[in-house]
Amino acid sequence: MKIAVFPGSFDPITKGHVDLVNRAIPLFDKIIVAVGVNSQKKYLFSLDQRLEMLEKVFADDDTVHVGQFEGLTVNYCKAEGARYLLRGLRNASDFDYEKTISQLNHIIGDEIETVFLISKPEYSHISSTIVREIIKGKGNIEPFIPEEIQGDVNLI
Ligand code: ADP
């Protein structure tokens, strides 16, 4: 069974993330969208809120599961029986960062393969960082956030 982990902060999940997962569904038998917990990092949404939003967005997709992990992503992959990591590339700076991480994970993760999908042009300007700024500024988040969670995000 081909299992992929899509790791991220998802603070919050955006339309860019959703598009990536949808395009990866035909490639894998199971995709685990996993929230990486980093105790040093400050988040806008709590872990529970982020997990709840992910569950809502992927409720109708049988092959998409939601998870969480602390520590090394490759250890989580091993525990879940996943041999693939899924990541998105929006631009050259994503590439520079992701290249190094992917090479490291290949070594420490016993040849785990990172599969990259290039974001669609209409989503390549979307980042969770920008979305958090729009939420804080009470701007319109509709173009950036999946419909299922637009109400939740506005509660902040
Ligand atoms: P991280 O904190 O690990 O960067 P993110 O939640 O910001 O977590 O992103 C997780 C993954 O989703 C990364 O591989 C990132 O490149 C990808 N991603 C983020 N935004 C988009 C987008 N708009 N289109 C495609 N991929 C994206």
Side-chain angles (χ1 to χ4, degrees), residues 6-10 16-17 41 87-88 90 94 98 119 123 126:
F6 180 37
S9 308
F10 305 108
H17 294 129
K41 226 167 149 180
R87 296 287 285 178
R90 287 163 291 187
D94 270 0
E98 296 288 346
S119 75
Y123 298 126
I126 304 179

Side-chain angles (χ1 to χ4, degrees), residues 6-21 23 34 36 41 43 86-91 94-95 97-98 114-120 122-129 132 144:
F6 180 37
S9 308
F10 305 108
D11 187 32
I13 184 165
T14 68
K15 287 187 179 180
H17 294 129
V18 176
D19 179 62
L20 210 78
V21 172
R23 288 164 56 205
K41 226 167 149 180
Y43 299 103
L86 175 65
R87 296 287 285 178
L89 296 176
R90 287 163 291 187
N91 47 45
D94 270 0
F95 174 79
Y97 173 77
E98 296 288 346
T114 307
V115 175
F116 295 103
L117 293 181
I118 305 276
S119 75
K120 279 194 190 164
E122 60 262 48
Y123 298 126
S124 61
H125 61 288
I126 304 179
S127 69
S128 295
T129 309
R132 287 195 297 276
F144 313 113

Side-chain angles (χ1 to χ4, degrees), residues 72-88:
L72 293 178
T73 311
V74 291
N75 289 347
Y76 177 69
C77 289
K78 259 184 215 165
E80 294 292 331
R83 294 214 47 244
Y84 305 93
L85 273 168
L86 175 65
R87 296 287 285 178

Side-chain angles (χ1 to χ4, degrees), residues 7-79:
S9 308
F10 305 108
D11 187 32
I13 184 165
T14 68
K15 287 187 179 180
H17 294 129
V18 176
D19 179 62
L20 210 78
V21 172
N22 285 336
R23 288 164 56 205
I25 287 176
L27 307 179
F28 301 103
D29 300 305
K30 177 177 171 183
I31 298 171
I32 307 170
V33 181
V35 180
V37 182
N38 178 346
S39 51
Q40 316 284 352
K41 226 167 149 180
K42 272 233 138 229
Y43 299 103
L44 181 62
F45 295 96
S46 70
L47 175 62
D48 284 347
Q49 284 174 315
R50 284 177 284 149
L51 290 169
E52 211 172 287
M53 288 192 274
L54 291 173
E55 293 282 3
K56 249 191 214 180
V57 171
F58 297 112
D60 295 334
D61 296 300
D62 292 342
T63 51
V64 183
H65 298 241
V66 172
Q68 56 170 294
F69 67 97
E70 236 174 304
L72 293 178
T73 311
V74 291
N75 289 347
Y76 177 69
C77 289
K78 259 184 215 165

